[in-house]
Amino acid sequence: MTGEALSGLEERIAYQFRDKKLLRQALTHSSYANEMKINKYEDYERLEFLGDAVLELVSSDFLFREREETTEGQLTKMRASIVCEPALAFCARDFSLEQYILLGKGEETTGGRSRDSIVSDVMEALIGAIYLDGGLAEASAFIHRFILSDLEHKQLFYDAKTILQELVQQENVGALRYELVKEEGPQHDKMFEVEAYVGEKKVGWGVGHSKKAAQQQAAYQALLARKER
């Protein structure tokens, strides 16, 4: 990856690395490092480990201070929804992090760039890299900017299936179900189209790289439609 590409990412995240090697390592998947077959390239796994801990600390501190009336159990549930794999991947795509990941050819051709597991891991690795490069204050600023901002809206998306299920049960208006209406694309990069129904009424529609992701999008669209009534 060129220095210009790295600079483009730095501009998007509003943070300039003093040690560019840390940024490159955060973006390097093990498949790419193995393909190079030289020690010059380290993958992101150790940085991911560190970033996960920093993210948990910062998000816990934020929730503790902002949700004073919330119980320990509720705080734990809220934090889990913020730092889960789909949530982190969703936040990372806000600044197109997936475009900058260094993947081996095999991982690239099997759809690794669009896989939530990889994108979320790189997001955590990037947090770890910022922490090492600029300290906790800079890592915290990044987390607040891209993960903890507009949290009410994001949590509606993260927890859409659960929230919709609870609303449907409360109103007792029929069973909630999801129907797969289309599946297309090569095996490594499939797209699924799903519709959400309450009883016989279609309430939402969504697409995603997995059935679960498509269902989440359909539930989210159903919740947005309800709010607009």
Side-chain angles (χ1 to χ4, degrees), residues 5-17 20 23:
L6 290 178
S7 295
L9 177 57
E10 288 176 317
E11 187 174 332
R12 290 190 179 203
I13 65 174
Y15 180 77
Q16 299 290 320
F17 276 82
K20 305 297 184 186
L23 175 56

Side-chain angles (χ1 to χ4, degrees), residues 78-123:
M78 290 175 69
R79 184 181 63 197
S81 72
I82 293 170
V83 303
C84 70
E85 184 178 290
L88 290 181
F90 177 82
C91 293
R93 292 188 177 104
D94 271 355
F95 57 93
S96 303
L97 179 61
E98 72 281 1
Q99 294 180 12
Y100 298 91
I101 301 173
L102 295 168
L103 293 171
K105 292 178 182 177
E107 194 67 50
E108 183 77 70
T109 57
T110 55
R113 196 171 298 279
S114 62
R115 201 169 295 139
D116 279 1
S117 58
I118 291 178
V119 179
S120 64
D121 286 351
V122 174
M123 184 68 155

